[in-house]
Amino acid sequence: MTRIPVCYCGNRRIFGGVFMSMLSVIKHTSEPLQVILMTMDISYKNEKFVPFTEEQRALLERTVKRKNPESTVEIIDVSEYQKKYFDGGKNQNNSYTPYTNARLFLDLLEVPDKIIYLDADVMCCSDIKEHFDIDIEGYEFAATLDVVGHRFFPRKYCNAGVLMLNIPKIRETGLFEKARVMVRTRSLMMPDQSAINRHAKAKLVLPYRFNEQRDIKPETVYKHFCKGYKWWGPILTSYNIKQWHRDKVHEKLGIHTFDDIYEEYDRIIAEAGNRELIEI
């Protein structure tokens, strides 16, 4: 039996976002999933940087198994890799947490050859099997152009919030190895995303529906609640509204697509009886 591998990176405090994202995934697919939670304990840098817990893993696994009993959820702790490759590096104190870099360790792990990587702020709008079935033989990864970044950076600058990864090809070209060096040695605004784009030898650029960074459309597969710019009245304003900012999602973005996910999320919180497990 083949499971669809879906990877998230983060810590205990972001688990609520991961949980909402996965609720949206299982709403649209009946395929068995192999959910990988990459995490790190770097509380020595910030007391908030603590790993996903076993209780959170178990709750997520119980939830995904309701849709398909063959689905699994595992935690992979990459704390030692963080210390080895990035401690003392150039990008430890920027606007992105160190957890965004954790995906750069996938080539060092025993993981499936083909993996969907999702940021915690990505919500699913249709069956991910369509995404997973895309042929990326010969490519290191498949991704969508970054709505803003591709206008300013060369090499078809892609957004790294949704990635289809070809792990054997990444090992062959040394993509993540080179990206780790760049993240450690050069100050970057968007560290791992820029490093991946800089060193990619073969990437497949997908349509925006596989990482919609603005308005949801009928064909959208993933909606990414990433940073952006929007006209509110006569003023062009930057925003960073995540799916868990429900009031702002409704009032500022005008999105009600995920209201049923919010209801399911609230029901599970009530069932769990422990708001600290998944409340973001």
Side-chain angles (χ1 to χ4, degrees):
M1 179 190 58
T2 301
R3 298 182 178 92
I4 297 178
V6 182
C7 178
Y8 296 93
C9 299
N11 59 24
R12 187 167 66 193
R13 291 174 60 86
I14 203 65
F15 182 75
V18 171
F19 202 90
M20 285 183 183
S21 179
M22 185 47 58
L23 284 175
S24 71
V25 170
I26 63 175
K27 172 185 175 180
H28 295 286
T29 186
S30 298
E31 296 292 320
L33 305 172
Q34 180 182 351
V35 184
I36 300 169
L37 304 177
M38 294 184 69
T39 194
M40 302 181 289
D41 184 354
I42 42 180
S43 53
Y44 58 92
K45 291 181 175 292
N46 186 321
E47 63 180 9
K48 297 178 181 179
F49 291 168
V50 293
F52 293 127
T53 67
E54 169 56 24
E55 290 79 12
Q56 290 173 329
R57 185 210 66 79
L59 177 63
L60 185 56
E61 185 168 75
R62 289 196 302 271
T63 301
V64 299
K65 281 182 176 293
R66 289 178 185 175
K67 185 65 177 286
N68 190 315
E70 302 301 323
S71 293
T72 61
V73 179
E74 63 181 306
I75 292 176
I76 301 180
D77 191 313
V78 291
S79 303
E80 291 306 311
Y81 290 128
Q82 161 67 28
K83 293 178 181 177
K84 177 178 179 180
Y85 289 101
F86 295 138
D87 269 12
K90 295 284 189 180
N91 294 285
Q92 294 302 287
N93 296 297
N94 66 8
S95 60
Y96 293 88
T97 75
Y99 292 90
T100 63
N101 300 325
R103 54 190 157 179
L104 296 181
F105 303 137
L106 279 165
D107 62 323
L108 304 175
L109 305 173
E110 293 184 10
V111 293
D113 288 349
K114 188 179 183 183
I115 297 174
I116 294 174
Y117 167 83
L118 300 177
D119 276 353
D121 58 358
V122 172
M123 296 291 280
C124 190
C125 299
S126 66
D127 195 340
I128 67 169
K129 191 174 187 301
E130 180 187 3
H131 184 210
F132 188 69
D133 285 346
I134 294 172
D135 184 6
I136 57 170
E137 185 70 25
Y139 296 98
E140 294 156 308
F141 64 88
T144 295
L145 293 178
D146 189 272
V147 168
V148 176
H150 88 278
R151 301 177 186 276
F152 301 99
F153 300 104
R155 302 184 183 88
K156 296 180 179 178
Y157 189 87
C158 289
N159 183 281
V162 179
L163 297 170
M164 177 81 75
L165 300 171
N166 182 342
I167 301 300
K169 187 68 174 179
I170 287 170
R171 291 180 180 135
E172 176 189 324
T173 64
L175 171 59
F176 282 1
E177 181 180 0
K178 295 170 186 174
R180 290 192 294 269
V181 172
M182 186 173 178
V183 169
R184 180 178 178 84
T185 58
R186 290 183 56 183
S187 295
L188 302 163
M189 183 181 299
M190 295 172 287
D192 65 319
Q193 178 170 289
S194 295
I196 291 170
N197 276 284
R198 170 63 179 82
H199 291 289
K201 299 294 185 183
K203 58 184 171 185
L204 177 64
V205 177
L206 299 178
Y208 277 119
R209 66 194 190 93
F210 290 103
N211 182 356
E212 181 52 67
Q213 299 149 58
R214 294 298 180 262
D215 295 331
I216 298 172
K217 300 174 180 64
E219 67 273 17
T220 297
V221 178
Y222 302 105
K223 162 58 183 169
H224 188 184
F225 286 86
C226 55
K227 294 179 181 178
Y229 298 88
K230 192 176 183 71
W231 288 99
W232 276 299
I235 302 173
L236 182 64
T237 307
S238 64
Y239 65 91
N240 191 20
I241 299 172
K242 305 304 184 184
Q243 74 266 26
W244 52 85
H245 300 142
R246 300 189 203 187
D247 290 344
K248 291 182 179 179
V249 169
H250 291 152
E251 297 166 11
K252 296 289 189 180
L253 300 182
I255 294 174
H256 291 268
T257 306
F258 307 109
D259 286 0
D260 58 334
I261 301 297
Y262 295 149
E263 291 177 6
E264 179 73 356
Y265 178 87
D266 290 341
R267 183 187 64 77
I268 293 172
I269 284 181
E271 283 184 359
N274 183 355
R275 299 185 70 86
E276 292 183 358
L277 274 178
I278 60 174
E279 187 173 30
I280 196 161

